[in-house]
């Protein structure tokens, strides 16, 4: 395991086994979480220890292979190359409440959603905890913008990489590290019910977002294979249990797809299904993916859908699209890069 994937107590134990005092572990932890690229930068460490660590525990920071900055809204998209040559994307978005990074949790994705570019080549591998942390850390360092919020909404299914994601959350939240509040972190899932229950048991203060994208099984089955394993009623029952365990309102993402899920009847059905669940619906105009025949809904359909939800007492917002000029939606940049380099 990479040194940066260890919590501070674990690192302290590891250092003890190496015959090093606890304060050394804390020094190293602090340096690593500041984003040093070499042990030589750890100037308060003895040379012999720096040499030993460099030989036994390579830091392996990611390398920027593409960086695209939106001329419209300042959104920055990074394509990172990891130590093994695989690439993942991170997006930095600038909101009035702070700078938000959207990170990837896997290289590719096994879930197979019909509208999503990230899943086109399937899953390559899951990310290690330090590889998620590095996306936050090096985005902050490279951009010079301090990060206050994180969304796990990049490439991959976070709950398919459960243990590593939880460890990442612990690392990024640690006071000796980046110290980013759990309340400023959102995790999005396509609906892995047993993992939603497992997450509920952890009682974290993060926000849970569910990629719903349809009001019933008929619609979800067409675009989200996961629905065949965990149909919508089971998913919403898990959301209710999650709310009971955490008291955190659930966010539902709903990509508006022309003629598929955007009718007034669909809005009314959604309303019925969400009844009694403290929910917020985030409508996302579909981003067109080259390989897919699905098209975004008209503005009129989006407005009508939103009104039905609001009139029914469910808050619904239409997500502002950022970075439309830089392939900033999930998986598009990695896909383009992989195609070009083949
Ligand atoms: N696997 C997780 C995390 C990905 S989050 C999940 O499914 O929730 C990325 C969000 O963007 C998800 O809600 C996903 O469904 C949505 N998305 C993917 N492709 C999209 C597209 N082309 N247009 C709009 N939203 C899309």
């Amino acid at each position: 395991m990479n040194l940066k994937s260890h919590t501070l107590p674990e690192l302290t134990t590891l250092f003890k086994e190496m015959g090093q005092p606890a304060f050394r572990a804390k020094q190293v932890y602090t340096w690593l979480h500041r984003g040093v690229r070499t042990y030589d930068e750890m100037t308060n460490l003895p040379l012999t220890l720096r040499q030993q660590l460099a030989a036994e525990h390579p830091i392996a920071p990611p390398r920027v292979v593409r960086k695209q900055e939106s001329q419209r809204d300042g959104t920055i998209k990074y394509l990172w190359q990891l130590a093994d040559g695989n690439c993942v994307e991170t997006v930095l978005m600038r909101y009035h409440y702070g700078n938000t990074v959207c990170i990837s949790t896997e290289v590719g994705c096994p879930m197979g959603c019909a509208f999503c570019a990230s899943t086109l080549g399937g899953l390559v591998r899951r990310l290690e905890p330090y590889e998620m942390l590095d996306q936050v850390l090096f985005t902050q360092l490279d951009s010079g913008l301090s990060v206050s919020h994180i969304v796990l909404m990049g490439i991959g299914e976070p709950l398919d990489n459960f243990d590593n994601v939880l460890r990442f959350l612990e690392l990024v939240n640690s006071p000796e590290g980046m110290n980013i509040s759990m309340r400023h972190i959102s995790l999005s899932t396509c609906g892995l019910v047993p993992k939603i229950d497992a997450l509920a048991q952890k009682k974290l203060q993060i926000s849970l977002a569910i990629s719903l994208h349809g009001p019933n099984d008929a619609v979800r089955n067409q675009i989200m294979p996961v629905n065949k394993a965990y149909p919508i009623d089971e998913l919403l029952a898990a959301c209710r249990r999650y709310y009971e365990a955490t008291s955190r309102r659930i966010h539902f993402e709903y990509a508006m797809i022309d003629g598929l899920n955007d009718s007034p009847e669909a809005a009314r059905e959604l309303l019925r299904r969400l009844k009694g669940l403290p929910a917020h619906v985030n409508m996302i105009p579909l981003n067109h993916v080259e390989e897919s025949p699905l098209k975004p809904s008209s503005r009129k359909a989006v407005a009508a859908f939103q009104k039905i939800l609001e009139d029914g007492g469910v808050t619904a917002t239409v997500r502002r699209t950022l970075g439309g000029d830089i392939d900033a939606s999930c998986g598009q940049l990695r896909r383009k890069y992989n195609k070009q380099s083949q």
Side-chain angles (χ1 to χ4, degrees):
M1 190 154 89
N2 185 287
L3 225 45
K4 214 189 286 178
S5 288
H6 290 278
T7 63
L8 181 54
E10 288 169 351
L11 200 64
T12 308
T13 306
L14 196 81
F15 270 52
K16 203 179 264 172
E17 286 161 14
M18 287 163 55
Q20 295 289 337
F23 76 92
R24 289 280 180 233
K26 188 156 176 196
Q27 286 174 327
V28 169
Y29 188 89
T30 311
W31 281 115
L32 288 174
H33 286 245
R34 274 188 215 154
V36 296
R37 294 184 156 267
T38 65
Y39 286 101
D40 286 334
E41 293 168 62
M42 302 188 183
T43 45
N44 54 359
L45 251 56
L47 183 62
T48 48
L49 179 58
R50 279 188 254 159
Q51 286 168 339
Q52 183 190 351
L53 291 172
E56 293 171 9
H57 299 281
I59 296 181
R63 196 170 66 80
V64 180
V65 284
R66 288 273 194 286
K67 177 180 177 183
Q68 299 184 353
E69 193 158 354
S70 168
Q71 297 309 306
R72 293 181 207 160
D73 50 48
T75 298
I76 307 176
K77 180 146 198 170
Y78 290 96
L79 185 70
W80 303 103
Q81 186 160 52
L82 308 172
D84 69 351
N86 278 306
C87 291
V88 290
E89 297 171 23
T90 306
V91 186
L92 177 77
M93 293 160 293
R94 305 170 74 167
Y95 291 108
H96 64 275
Y97 53 77
N99 298 317
T100 302
V101 285
C102 174
I103 65 160
S104 298
T105 54
E106 299 184 311
V107 180
C109 182
M111 304 312 305
C113 299
F115 45 81
C116 182
S118 299
T119 197
L120 287 168
L123 175 72
V124 178
R125 71 169 173 88
R126 303 182 170 105
L127 292 186
E128 297 293 322
Y130 82 96
E131 292 173 316
M132 294 180 247
L133 185 67
D134 278 351
Q135 293 175 61
V136 185
L137 207 47
F138 290 109
T139 295
Q140 175 166 282
L141 282 173
D142 184 273
S143 66
L145 297 166
S146 99
V147 169
S148 55
H149 292 67
I150 301 172
V151 295
L152 282 73
M153 297 190 181
I155 299 172
E157 167 51 49
L159 297 187
D160 179 57
N161 191 10
F162 193 82
D163 293 343
N164 287 348
V165 162
L166 279 178
R167 183 175 273 272
F168 156 73
L169 293 175
E170 186 177 348
L171 293 170
V172 81
N173 177 239
S174 79
E176 302 83 2
M178 294 194 79
N179 200 12
I180 294 182
S181 153
M182 289 286 185
R183 287 182 167 268
H184 288 184
I185 302 177
S186 296
L187 183 153
S188 178
T189 176
C190 63
L192 295 174
V193 166
K195 295 294 166 60
I196 294 173
D197 283 325
L199 187 65
Q201 293 316 309
K202 305 284 177 188
K203 299 196 192 297
L204 303 176
Q205 287 300 300
I206 59 171
S207 297
L208 179 66
I210 305 285
S211 297
L212 200 61
H213 306 324
N216 54 39
D217 288 330
V219 172
R220 287 192 104 229
N221 282 341
Q222 281 181 57
I223 50 176
M224 303 182 76
V226 67
N227 194 72
K228 295 189 177 131
Y230 307 109
I232 192 162
D233 285 334
E234 285 181 34
L235 174 58
L236 293 176
C239 290
R240 290 196 161 81
R241 293 192 290 274
Y242 189 89
Y243 178 74
E244 276 159 26
T246 65
S247 304
R248 301 284 290 163
R249 183 167 74 145
I250 314 260
H251 296 257
F252 291 95
E253 294 151 282
Y254 199 99
M256 296 292 291
I257 307 174
D258 184 44
L260 191 106
N261 64 2
D262 62 349
S263 67
E265 298 76 63
R268 284 190 283 270
E269 190 173 2
L270 181 60
L271 208 50
R272 281 198 298 279
R273 276 233 151 74
L274 295 183
K275 216 177 169 93
L277 181 66
H280 171 261
V281 176
N282 200 207
M283 300 161 61
I284 315 166
L286 183 79
N287 268 300
H288 180 65
V289 173
E290 236 173 66
E291 289 85 346
S292 155
L294 303 172
K295 298 271 178 313
S297 303
S298 68
R299 274 170 180 246
K300 222 175 119 193
V302 173
F305 199 95
Q306 184 181 21
K307 185 164 187 312
I308 293 172
L309 293 181
E310 293 266 329
D311 288 350
V314 170
T315 53
T317 48
V318 181
R319 186 179 289 175
R320 198 156 61 97
T321 48
L322 295 177
D325 52 336
I326 55 166
D327 296 320
S329 63
C330 302
Q332 297 193 2
L333 186 58
R334 168 172 173 264
R335 182 130 188 98
K336 215 177 244 183
Y337 178 78
N338 284 351
K339 269 192 192 162
Q340 282 165 3
S341 46
Q342 263 159 21

